[in-house]
C-alpha cells in the first residue's frame, strides 16, 4: 500500500470514523432524547422547557459529524488532521463546564478521554502526513 494512500485500509481512517459516528449519534440523540443526552453529558436539565439549549449542543455535534464524514469521503487527511487537533478544545471546555457546574463531576472523564483521543489521532494523522510528504519528494 502506498504511503500516499489514505482510506479504509488505514488505521487512522477508522479512528476518525469512530469519532464521526459518535458525533452523529450524539447529535441525533440530543434532538430525540434531550434530557438523557444532557444528563450523560454531565449537566442537569432543571426544566424541560430548556430543551432548546440541548438542541444547540446537538446541532453542534451533528454538524461536526457530517463535516468529518464529508472529509472522510473526500479522503482529506490533511484537513482532518487540522480538525482533529483544533477540536480537542471543545471536549476540554466541556470537561471544565462539567467540573465547575455539576454536582457529580464523574461524567467529566468522558470529555477528558475524548480530548486525549483527538490528540492521539491528530498526532497519528500528522505522522502519516509527514511520511506522505517524504515519499512524494523522493
Amino acid at each position: 500500500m502506498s504511503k500516499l494512500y489514505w482510506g479504509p485500509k488505514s488505521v487512522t481512517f477508522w479512528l476518525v470514523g469512530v469519532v464521526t459516528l459518535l458525533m452523529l449519534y450524539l447529535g441525533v440523540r440530543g434532538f430525540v432524547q434531550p434530557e438523557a443526552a444532557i444528563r450523560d453529558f454531565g449537566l442537569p436539565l432543571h426544566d424541560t422547557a430548556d430543551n432548546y439549549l440541548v438542541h444547540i449542543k446537538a446541532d453542534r455535534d451533528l454538524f461536526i459529524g457530517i463535516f468529518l464524514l464529508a472529509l472522510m469521503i473526500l479522503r482529506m487527511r490533511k484537513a482532518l488532521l487540522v480538525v482533529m487537533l483544533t477540536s480537542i478544545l471543545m471536549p476540554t471546555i466541556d470537561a471544565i463546564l462539567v467540573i465547575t457546574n455539576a454536582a457529580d463531576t464523574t461524567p467529566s472523564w468522558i470529555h477528558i478521554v475524548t480530548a486525549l483521543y483527538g490528540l492521539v489521532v491528530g498526532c497519528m494523522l500528522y505522522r502519516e502526513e509527514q511520511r506522505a510528504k517524504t515519499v512524494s519528494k523522493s
Side-chain angles (χ1 to χ4, degrees):
M1 174 173 64
S2 165
K3 295 229 187 265
L4 297 175
Y5 174 80
W6 189 76
K9 292 184 179 180
S10 172
V11 171
T12 55
F13 183 87
W14 293 105
L15 293 174
V16 171
V18 168
V19 174
T20 301
L21 291 175
L22 178 64
M23 296 310 294
L24 291 169
Y25 168 76
L26 292 173
V28 170
R29 185 165 185 239
F31 285 109
V32 176
Q33 298 175 316
E35 294 87 5
I38 200 66
R39 183 184 59 246
D40 291 346
F41 179 84
L43 296 174
L45 185 66
H46 298 292
D47 187 349
T48 55
D50 293 334
N51 278 354
Y52 70 94
L53 295 170
V54 181
H55 294 156
I56 292 169
K57 182 203 173 305
D59 177 49
R60 175 188 88 170
D61 293 343
L62 198 54
F63 168 79
I64 293 167
I66 292 169
F67 186 64
L68 291 173
L69 182 61
L71 293 176
M72 287 179 69
I73 290 169
L74 296 171
R75 310 274 169 84
M76 298 180 76
R77 177 178 52 203
K78 190 180 287 188
L80 280 161
L81 153 65
V82 172
V83 171
M84 291 301 291
L85 288 178
T86 57
S87 67
I88 63 172
L89 185 60
M90 284 184 289
T92 302
I93 291 172
D94 292 346
I96 293 167
L97 288 170
V98 171
I99 290 168
T100 58
N101 293 296
D104 178 14
T105 60
T106 306
S108 66
W109 70 269
I110 192 69
H111 302 292
I112 295 165
V113 169
T114 302
L116 292 173
Y117 184 88
L119 181 63
V120 169
V121 173
C123 288
M124 290 173 71
L125 287 166
Y126 179 78
R127 278 186 35 196
E128 284 183 2
E129 193 61 33
Q130 292 306 306
R131 278 193 226 127
K133 279 184 185 179
T134 304
V135 169
S136 68
K137 287 181 182 179
S138 48

